[in-house]
Amino acid sequence: MNIGEVIRHWRKARGLTQEQVAQRLGVTPPAVNKWERGVSLPDVALLAPLARLLGISCDTLLTFRENLTTDEINQLCRQAQQKLEKENFADALAWAQKQMAEYPNCEQLALNLAILFDARRVVRPEHNKAAEEWLKNCYEQLLHSQQETIRRQAAEMLFNIYRRQDDYKQAEKYLSYFPADNFQRQQYQALIYSQTGQTDKAWRAYEELLFNTGNRLDLLLHELYLLAKQEKNAAKAQALLEKQKQLARLLDKGFCDEAAAELEQAVWQQDAAATVLIMEQLLQKAETLCAYTQSPLYEHMQFSQLPADFKQNFRERMRAEFARLENFPYIQQDAAAYRR
């Protein structure tokens, strides 16, 4: 709503006539009528008294609301989309800029509209010049938002604007708005390395992303398995363990990682024969624990050197763990098989 509509809305909400408002403010009724019709505006000196009379803040009177509701924002974005489809780009952009001017403190509206028009200009290059500077300015302002998600989205949009222009030096500056361990930041950094001839750094960055993402996926699959186990959903639990095995194989994690899922399944099913067999295999192939360090998937990564006796110590700890009968009560009769 513009200021005239706000005055009319709150005047009626307070049960006041135009004559009563005029009398209280020391102006003529026609003046109030002109304000409400948008013909003229109240004098600056009258804004505070008018707001108090209407029982609202000056921000509300001037339509400087901090935020719109999600529904209101979505409605304005739908209107913008319709205008982009039915009107020329310049007219639709002018309308969007007017909405943002009416609600200058509503950052989510500014971000959503900017992204909408940004997407349109990407697919319609003829609109680039008309909107580019406005978009950059809009995103730059949003970088000062108190909301991290808005700052990060604005930074991502600016990164992509400059990336499309092959200005990677400028694009890289916006990565500082992402946490250092953020996946998207690392992916964008790897892209910059790749596009600027820093091939070794690109390989290493992408390999680290693959390795770390694989570990996260493995953890998620295990958590899902525990949920299925908790619900006693044997079929789903088995399927999730099989996914863990496939993931370990896909990412060259080595036999130990694959066998760990098989052991989990055997213990849950209390399959004595399978448990003993997997234990023996794990003891025999403990050296594959860090097989991924030799995989070509990670050849540009630098892994810490393990102590010379690490694998032997690991084997001994694993043997001691397997020998604890309370962990595997269902195979006590086969104790000799895994004590040797």
Side-chain angles (χ1 to χ4, degrees):
M1 292 189 291
N2 59 42
I3 187 170
E5 292 171 329
V6 171
I7 293 171
R8 181 170 59 252
H9 172 81
W10 289 106
R11 176 180 62 77
K12 291 183 175 181
R14 296 290 177 266
L16 298 171
T17 65
Q18 290 183 348
E19 289 75 13
Q20 288 172 320
V21 170
Q23 184 179 12
R24 295 282 294 274
L25 296 176
V27 298
T28 64
V32 177
N33 182 269
K34 288 181 179 180
W35 297 345
E36 294 188 359
R37 291 189 292 114
V39 175
S40 63
L41 296 172
D43 187 89
V44 172
L46 292 175
L47 294 178
L50 176 57
R52 286 194 294 270
L53 177 61
L54 298 176
I56 58 177
S57 68
C58 285
D59 277 354
T60 301
L61 175 62
L62 297 171
T63 69
F64 285 180
R65 290 167 58 185
E66 287 297 320
N67 278 303
L68 298 169
T69 67
T70 299
D71 286 343
E72 289 172 329
I73 291 172
N74 290 340
Q75 176 61 28
L76 288 172
C77 288
R78 283 192 291 271
Q79 286 182 252
Q81 182 65 54
Q82 291 169 359
K83 287 183 176 294
L84 279 170
E85 293 172 357
K86 298 178 180 179
E87 302 176 12
N88 64 61
F89 184 86
D91 288 344
L93 180 59
W95 178 88
Q97 291 169 332
K98 181 180 178 182
Q99 307 313 305
M100 291 168 62
E102 283 198 33
Y103 306 102
N105 296 323
C106 188
E107 296 173 335
Q108 194 62 58
L109 174 66
L111 179 65
N112 290 4
L113 286 176
I115 290 174
L116 179 62
F117 281 82
D118 204 354
R120 176 56 63 98
R121 79 184 187 94
V122 169
V123 298
R124 298 284 298 275
E126 65 270 22
H127 300 320
N128 281 356
K129 291 183 180 179
E132 185 173 291
E133 290 307 314
W134 173 72
L135 286 166
K136 286 180 181 178
N137 182 61
C138 183
Y139 292 138
E140 288 286 352
Q141 291 182 35
L142 291 171
L143 291 177
H144 302 289
S145 172
Q146 295 299 309
Q147 298 184 52
E148 182 183 355
T149 54
I150 288 180
R151 293 197 305 273
R152 194 180 300 177
Q153 282 184 280
E156 182 181 1
M157 299 309 293
L158 284 164
F159 172 88
N160 283 312
I161 286 176
Y162 286 103
R163 177 184 62 82
R164 288 192 294 267
Q165 297 173 349
D166 296 330
D167 188 349
Y168 294 101
K169 184 176 181 180
Q170 183 65 26
E172 191 171 17
K173 294 179 180 179
Y174 297 103
L175 297 185
S176 63
Y177 288 89
F178 295 79
D181 60 350
N182 179 267
F183 177 88
Q184 210 160 28
R185 173 175 178 165
Q186 294 170 343
Q187 185 179 21
Y188 284 153
Q189 185 65 71
L191 175 64
I192 288 175
Y193 288 149
S194 175
Q195 296 298 314
T196 56
Q198 302 177 73
T199 310
D200 285 344
K201 287 184 177 180
W203 274 111
R204 181 174 176 178
Y206 280 127
E207 288 172 7
E208 288 176 350
L209 278 170
L210 177 64
F211 184 79
N212 293 332
T213 302
N215 288 340
R216 293 190 186 100
L217 287 174
D218 181 69
L219 178 61
L220 288 172
L221 286 171
H222 186 68
E223 294 294 339
L224 289 170
Y225 157 75
L226 292 177
L227 276 178
K229 181 178 176 182
Q230 180 179 318
E231 294 182 351
K232 296 181 171 50
N233 189 335
K236 189 163 189 175
Q238 183 174 350
L240 288 164
L241 287 173
E242 184 60 34
K243 294 294 183 185
Q244 276 191 278
K245 286 168 52 182
Q246 293 172 359
L247 180 65
R249 192 175 304 122
L250 176 68
L251 298 179
D252 291 350
K253 288 300 187 71
F255 174 80
C256 284
D257 276 57
E258 293 184 45
E262 293 182 352
L263 180 61
E264 184 90 39
Q265 181 177 357
V267 171
W268 184 35
Q269 295 177 343
Q270 297 193 1
D271 186 332
T275 301
V276 172
L277 176 62
I278 297 168
M279 286 177 175
E280 291 178 339
Q281 291 175 334
L282 282 168
L283 290 172
Q284 292 168 7
K285 299 182 179 181
E287 68 278 359
T288 69
L289 178 65
C290 300
Y292 55 83
T293 61
Q294 305 302 315
S295 168
L297 278 178
Y298 315 111
E299 62 181 326
H300 296 84
M301 289 179 63
Q302 296 178 355
F303 294 99
S304 300
Q305 292 294 320
L306 297 175
D309 60 349
F310 174 82
K311 292 177 181 177
Q312 181 59 34
N313 290 340
F314 174 75
R315 181 182 283 107
E316 292 304 319
R317 289 197 302 272
M318 192 160 49
R319 189 188 301 276
E321 188 69 18
F322 289 163
R324 294 174 62 189
L325 294 181
E326 61 268 27
N327 289 344
F328 311 98
Y330 60 94
I331 54 173
Q332 290 188 30
Q333 65 271 27
D334 294 316
Y338 58 85
R339 280 182 180 278
R340 59 192 178 197

